[in-house]
Amino acid sequence: MTTHGETAATSTPDARALQEGIAEFYDQSSGLWEDIWGDHMHHGFYDPNSNVSGSDHPAAQIRMIEESLRFAGITDDPAKQPKTIVDVGCGIGGSSRYLARKFGAECQGITLSPVQAGRANVLAKDEGLADKVSFQVADALKQPFPDGQFDLVWCMESGEHMPDKAKFVNELARVAAPGGTIIIVTWCHRDLGPSEEDLEPWEKKLLNRICNAYYLPEWCSTSNYVKLLQSLSLQAADWSERVAPFWPAVIRSAFTWKGFISLLRSGLKAIKGALVMPLMIQGYQKGVIKFAIITCRKPE
């Protein structure tokens, strides 16, 4: 694994296989996740000095959304609120529905998983939001939207699946409206030191095992994203400490009776993903894996 996972093209056989693997993984595992954790398929945001109870995790996932908006400078001022939003890698639409309600905005979500898109549309209808939010199967590297359409481009833990990071951020910038905000919250590997050309062999081995289970291409660092987005007004932060309680909680939920039965029903890909969850904890604890937020604003 190198730090330059931005070279693969979506038209190559390897990239097509990656897309198919991602779609199948989420087709199998999304029902399990919703059954145990609800409709937000992302980390929570925690106070590192507090004791975390089991009931705090759904609230922590909402805090992740709110803290991401705050970090990006999106306030409750009605004059500055986004009216059009795209949710890139939308899962079953938890963020989309939350943002649509919060801002009264129209939101479109895209995912590679037909199961996710279908479930997201059902939930939108059930919650009375079908006129505000919609979901479809689409490639984040070839988004089916015209240039400059969205006030807010939202990417909550989807960037790690992108085989071409340069094409990914260029596509985000393309669909953002002039003056629009881009928010990327994503898993990264640590930044390399001045004398380093690559990660240590044991670090690459650990990340490769996670890649194989979760259908990830090569990882990149936060500094890689910063370089790709340096032409925009950008800020970034390491939130690894803020998400530390998340994976232990996911593991505990998987080994409840309800979690165990749901996991068995979900299929081999979901089981394989569950088995490598301890590696995520190990990666965070050893400083190999970083949880980053990168936000920027497209010039007017």
Side-chain angles (χ1 to χ4, degrees), residues 3-8 163-167 218-221 224 228:
T3 59
H4 303 291
E6 297 88 12
T7 57
D164 187 331
K165 298 296 191 291
K167 190 170 184 179
E218 293 177 299
W219 294 55
C220 73
S221 67
N224 291 139
L228 290 170

Side-chain angles (χ1 to χ4, degrees), residues 2-43:
T2 69
T3 59
H4 303 291
E6 297 88 12
T7 57
T10 53
S11 59
T12 65
D14 286 348
R16 287 196 297 272
L18 175 65
Q19 285 191 334
E20 291 169 1
I22 293 168
E24 291 171 2
F25 176 77
Y26 286 111
D27 281 350
Q28 287 191 14
S29 64
S30 294
L32 164 67
W33 185 270
E34 183 184 2
D35 191 36
I36 302 298
W37 275 71
D39 59 353
H40 291 284
M41 302 179 67
H42 58 78
H43 282 72

Side-chain angles (χ1 to χ4, degrees), residues 38-57:
D39 59 353
H40 291 284
M41 302 179 67
H42 58 78
H43 282 72
F45 187 95
Y46 303 87
D47 180 348
N49 299 314
S50 67
N51 293 321
V52 179
S53 67
S55 61
D56 187 55
H57 298 300

Side-chain angles (χ1 to χ4, degrees), residues 112-192:
L112 290 174
S113 165
V115 169
Q116 286 187 337
R119 180 60 178 156
N121 280 314
V122 168
L123 289 171
K125 182 179 180 181
D126 290 347
E127 296 178 21
L129 290 169
D131 61 330
K132 286 287 188 181
V133 297
S134 62
F135 305 91
Q136 62 180 299
V137 174
D139 183 354
L141 304 187
K142 297 178 182 177
Q143 296 183 35
F145 308 118
D147 296 355
Q149 182 167 344
F150 300 104
D151 301 327
L152 174 59
V153 179
W154 179 267
C155 311
M156 178 60 71
E157 297 186 46
S158 59
E160 51 268 24
H161 283 298
M162 306 300 167
D164 187 331
K165 298 296 191 291
K167 190 170 184 179
F168 172 52
V169 299
N170 287 339
E171 192 69 349
L172 301 183
R174 182 186 69 79
V175 300
T181 299
I182 299 169
I183 299 177
I184 304 169
V185 182
T186 189
W187 313 352
C188 295
H189 68 61
R190 66 173 178 84
D191 288 340
L192 298 180

